[in-house]
Amino acid sequence: MSCGFEEDLTAYVDGELPPVRRAEVEAHLGTCGGCHATHALLRDAVARVAELPAFEPSPATRRAVLAKLDALPEPWWARLRALLRPAVLVPSAGLVAAVAVALVVVGSGSEAPPELADPAVMELAANLELAEDYELLGLDSAEDLEVVANLHELEVLQ
Amino acid sequence: MSDVDVDSDAQAMLKVAAGDRRAFAWLFDRYHGSVARFALRFVGDRERAEELTQDIFVKLYRNAKAYKPTARFKTFLFRVATNHCLNEVRRGEYRVTHTSSETPEGEETGTVEMAGPEGDRPDQALAGRELERAVGAALADMSDRERAAFTMCRFEGMAYRDIAEALDASEAAVKSLIHRATLAVARRIEELRAGTAPARSRA
């Protein structure tokens, strides 16, 4: 049967109709045998479903989920935040400079003066960031230089 | 649920977005049961429901930054849950395996096996299992969205408005989904009551 009210009967049982429509359905139920029977059927079904026993989920899920979170890669924003720490950023700027120097060296190819192939010079280029750290921080005492050179160790200890 | 609880959920979720694992564990403890029940009713298989539940919470953690406190947390959670379950079923990862009416009596199906009503009388427990089977058969025959809406409404007591938000549908559409689903369950129960006789035709 389709009398225009049938579609609203479940919402009526659930108390989900606005007051005006609810009153209309109520009045209709007194006059329509089909809707009256369907309403009784729906009301009974809702009550029976509510009687079904509750499902108790496995307590092992909590452990499994937390283990999965531990295995997740760090999100990009956390990685970015880590990279933006001064202790990382400053040496990184030096590294970029070192890479730039290395690129110039490679890029200049055969025209490079022979002394740039010297291993000692290459070593200096690779460690430019340290030299830059000293300059940026305006340090001059041997003790301060020692601290800067071992910044990464301090970080690990924290 | 009180406004204070709702507010606590939102606060906890904001902490989760900032990487707070304890806040996540607190939310997990509060909503684990709801999500697990939803997943179980959705796929009809305990083991698969367990996997889905784990995936849903991991997804919740990873997407915590998408949460805005203007949305009720439970609705947000069920949106994550519903999308995940619908996508997994659509991708063929999971097949809905509720006991169907065609399953021979007494055959092990590996499907939903709730602890029956623990009455002393065997006939009471049998009635519970039969009811479970009838509801399971109706759930298996529903469309995915009908099953999701029905489950949120009947087993979680969610309001139509919240279900509409979780399903990204209008309230009118949700009313229709829940009506069709409830009517299908009602007819199965009527069949059960009438023994093997077919349901009387109506509506």
Side-chain angles (χ1 to χ4, degrees):
Chain A
M1 153 207 353
S2 196
C3 67
F5 283 91
E6 201 253 17
E7 272 275 316
D8 280 349
L9 291 179
T10 301
Y12 175 76
V13 171
D14 288 334
E16 286 275 359
L17 290 179
V20 173
R21 184 60 176 165
R22 181 170 183 81
E24 286 172 359
V25 171
E26 230 151 43
H28 175 75
L29 284 175
T31 61
C32 176
C35 280
H36 186 81
T38 304
H39 170 248
L41 189 75
L42 289 167
R43 200 180 47 191
D44 175 64
V46 169
R48 294 302 307 270
V49 168
E51 285 170 15
L52 286 174
F55 160 61
E56 285 307 319
S58 160
T61 312
R62 190 184 206 267
R63 222 171 22 248
V65 168
L66 294 177
K68 280 186 181 180
L69 297 194
D70 285 337
L72 283 177
E74 266 196 296
W76 66 266
W77 46 268
R79 289 200 302 271
L80 185 66
R81 195 190 293 160
L83 285 175
L84 290 177
R85 282 175 309 159
V88 176
L89 195 61
V90 173
S92 300
L95 183 64
V96 169
V99 169
V101 168
L103 284 176
V104 168
V105 171
V106 172
S108 54
S110 57
E111 290 167 17
E115 65 269 27
L116 280 184
D118 181 346
V121 175
M122 293 308 286
E123 182 71 13
L124 178 67
N127 291 291
L128 265 184
E129 72 271 24
L130 267 186
E132 279 203 4
D133 283 350
Y134 303 153
E135 201 176 333
L136 273 174
L137 296 170
L139 305 175
D140 47 20
S141 87
E143 222 173 69
D144 288 341
L145 296 179
E146 181 75 13
V147 170
V148 173
N150 293 296
L151 269 181
H152 289 87
E153 273 182 42
L154 289 174
E155 212 171 285
V156 171
L157 285 174
Q158 275 174 356
Chain B
M1 192 176 288
S2 74
D3 287 347
V4 176
D5 287 340
V6 169
D7 197 44
S8 313
D9 288 347
Q11 291 303 319
M13 194 54 185
L14 292 177
K15 287 182 185 170
V16 174
D20 187 332
R21 288 284 180 88
R22 282 175 61 189
F24 175 80
W26 185 80
L27 280 172
F28 178 88
D29 291 341
R30 255 166 92 74
Y31 290 104
H32 172 206
S34 293
V35 172
R37 276 191 295 274
F38 174 79
L40 179 66
R41 291 295 177 189
F42 196 83
V43 290
D45 179 275
R46 198 177 276 268
E47 203 176 315
R48 289 168 181 170
E50 179 80 12
E51 288 170 13
L52 284 169
T53 304
Q54 291 181 19
D55 293 346
I56 288 163
F57 275 102
V58 171
K59 214 169 202 177
L60 178 78
Y61 181 82
R62 296 186 70 168
N63 295 290
K65 281 186 177 297
Y67 175 71
K68 299 277 181 289
T70 45
R72 185 194 285 264
F73 171 72
K74 188 172 179 181
T75 312
F76 178 82
L77 173 63
F78 270 84
R79 184 146 195 179
V80 174
T82 305
N83 277 346
H84 186 72
C85 289
L86 287 171
N87 286 339
E88 293 299 292
V89 168
R90 221 170 274 149
R91 280 168 45 199
E93 294 284 327
Y94 294 92
R95 198 166 52 87
V96 177
T97 54
H98 283 281
T99 309
S100 81
S101 54
E102 286 74 32
T103 307
E105 193 73 22
E107 183 175 303
E108 272 302 322
T109 58
T111 57
V112 180
E113 278 295 335
M114 303 291 199
E118 312 296 346
D120 293 334
R121 294 164 46 194
D123 58 322
Q124 268 187 353
L126 184 65
R129 277 200 297 274
E130 284 181 339
L131 179 64
E132 187 67 61
R133 188 171 295 148
V135 173
L139 283 166
D141 286 347
M142 288 175 196
S143 73
D144 292 340
R145 288 170 74 79
E146 282 171 356
R147 194 163 55 251
F150 180 85
T151 301
M152 282 187 267
C153 177
R154 301 280 164 247
F155 300 111
E156 287 307 311
M158 288 171 68
Y160 286 17
R161 191 185 57 191
D162 293 334
I163 297 170
E165 261 193 68
L167 277 176
D168 197 17
S170 68
E171 268 188 70
V174 165
K175 187 178 80 172
S176 184
L177 288 171
I178 292 176
H179 174 65
R180 283 201 301 271
T182 308
L183 200 55
V185 169
R187 287 184 174 140
R188 289 283 186 175
I189 292 174
E190 193 189 32
E191 280 177 24
L192 179 68
R193 192 166 282 146
T196 53
R200 290 191 304 275
S201 84
R202 69 162 39 80

